Coordinates of all heavy atoms in Angstrom, one line a residue:
W43 N 115.8 64.7 157.2 CA 117.3 65.0 157.1 C 117.6 65.0 155.6 O 117.3 64.1 154.8 CB 118.1 63.8 157.7 CG 117.9 64.0 159.2 CD1 117.1 63.3 160.0 CD2 118.8 64.8 160.1 NE1 117.3 63.7 161.3 CE2 118.3 64.6 161.4 CE3 119.8 65.8 159.8 CZ2 118.8 65.3 162.4 CZ3 120.3 66.4 160.9 CH2 119.9 66.2 162.2
I44 N 118.3 66.1 155.2 CA 118.9 66.3 153.8 C 120.4 66.2 153.8 O 120.9 67.1 154.6 CB 118.3 67.6 153.2 CG1 116.8 67.7 153.3 CG2 118.9 67.7 151.8 CD1 116.1 66.7 152.4
E45 N 120.9 65.4 153.0 CA 122.5 65.5 152.9 C 122.7 66.5 151.8 O 122.2 66.7 150.7 CB 122.9 64.1 152.4 CG 124.5 64.1 152.4 CD 125.1 62.7 152.2 OE1 124.3 61.7 152.5 OE2 126.3 62.6 151.8
V46 N 123.8 67.4 152.2 CA 124.1 68.5 151.4 C 125.6 68.3 151.0 O 126.5 67.9 151.8 CB 124.0 69.9 152.1 CG1 124.4 71.0 151.3 CG2 122.5 70.0 152.5
Q47 N 126.0 68.6 149.7 CA 127.3 68.5 149.3 C 127.6 69.9 148.5 O 126.8 70.3 147.7 CB 127.4 67.3 148.3 CG 128.7 67.0 147.9 CD 128.7 65.6 147.1 OE1 128.2 65.6 146.0 NE2 129.3 64.6 147.6
C48 N 128.7 70.6 148.9 CA 129.0 71.8 148.3 C 130.5 71.8 147.9 O 131.3 71.0 148.5 CB 128.7 73.0 149.1 SG 129.3 73.0 150.8
W49 N 130.9 72.6 147.0 CA 132.2 72.5 146.3 C 132.9 73.8 146.4 O 132.4 74.9 146.5 CB 132.0 72.1 144.8 CG 131.1 71.0 144.6 CD1 129.8 70.8 144.8 CD2 131.7 69.6 144.4 NE1 129.4 69.5 144.5 CE2 130.5 68.7 144.4 CE3 132.9 69.1 144.3 CZ2 130.6 67.4 144.1 CZ3 133.0 67.7 144.0 CH2 131.9 66.9 143.9
G50 N 134.3 73.7 146.2 CA 135.1 74.9 146.0 C 135.2 75.8 147.3 O 135.2 75.4 148.4
K51 N 135.1 77.1 147.0 CA 135.1 78.1 148.0 C 133.9 78.0 149.0 O 134.0 78.2 150.2 CB 135.1 79.5 147.4 CG 135.5 80.6 148.4 CD 136.9 80.5 149.0 CE 137.1 81.7 149.9 NZ 138.3 81.5 150.7
T52 N 132.7 77.6 148.4 CA 131.6 77.5 149.2 C 131.8 76.3 150.3 O 131.5 76.5 151.4 CB 130.3 77.1 148.3 OG1 130.2 78.1 147.4 CG2 129.1 77.0 149.2
A53 N 132.5 75.3 149.9 CA 132.8 74.2 150.8 C 133.7 74.7 151.9 O 133.6 74.3 153.0 CB 133.4 73.0 150.0
E54 N 134.8 75.4 151.4 CA 135.8 75.9 152.4 C 135.1 76.8 153.4 O 135.4 76.8 154.6 CB 136.9 76.6 151.7 CG 137.8 75.6 150.9 CD 138.7 76.3 150.0 OE1 138.8 77.5 149.9 OE2 139.6 75.6 149.4
N55 N 134.2 77.7 153.0 CA 133.5 78.6 153.9 C 132.6 77.8 154.8 O 132.4 78.1 156.0 CB 132.7 79.7 153.1 CG 133.6 80.7 152.5 OD1 134.8 81.0 153.0 ND2 133.2 81.4 151.5
A56 N 131.9 76.9 154.3 CA 131.0 76.0 155.1 C 131.8 75.3 156.2 O 131.4 75.3 157.4 CB 130.2 75.0 154.3
N57 N 132.9 74.7 155.8 CA 133.8 74.0 156.8 C 134.3 75.1 157.8 O 134.4 74.6 159.0 CB 134.9 73.4 156.1 CG 135.7 72.5 156.9 OD1 135.2 71.6 157.6 ND2 137.0 72.8 157.1
Q58 N 134.7 76.2 157.4 CA 135.2 77.2 158.4 C 134.2 77.8 159.4 O 134.4 78.0 160.5 CB 135.9 78.3 157.6 CG 136.6 79.4 158.5 CD 137.4 80.4 157.8 OE1 137.5 80.3 156.6 NE2 138.0 81.3 158.5
Y59 N 133.0 78.2 158.8 CA 132.0 78.9 159.6 C 130.8 78.1 160.2 O 130.1 78.7 161.0 CB 131.6 80.1 158.8 CG 132.6 81.0 158.4 CD1 133.1 81.2 157.1 CD2 133.3 81.8 159.4 CE1 134.1 82.0 156.8 CE2 134.3 82.7 159.1 CZ 134.7 82.8 157.7 OH 135.7 83.7 157.4
L60 N 130.5 77.0 159.6 CA 129.3 76.3 160.1 C 129.7 75.2 161.1 O 130.8 74.5 161.0 CB 128.6 75.6 158.9 CG 128.1 76.5 157.9 CD1 127.4 75.7 156.7 CD2 127.0 77.5 158.5

Side-chain angles (χ1 to χ4, degrees):
W43 289 96
I44 306 292
E45 186 169 338
V46 177
Q47 192 173 63
C48 51
W49 305 81
K51 189 65 175 171
T52 303
E54 291 171 353
N55 287 336
N57 187 57
Q58 182 176 357
Y59 296 110
L60 296 178

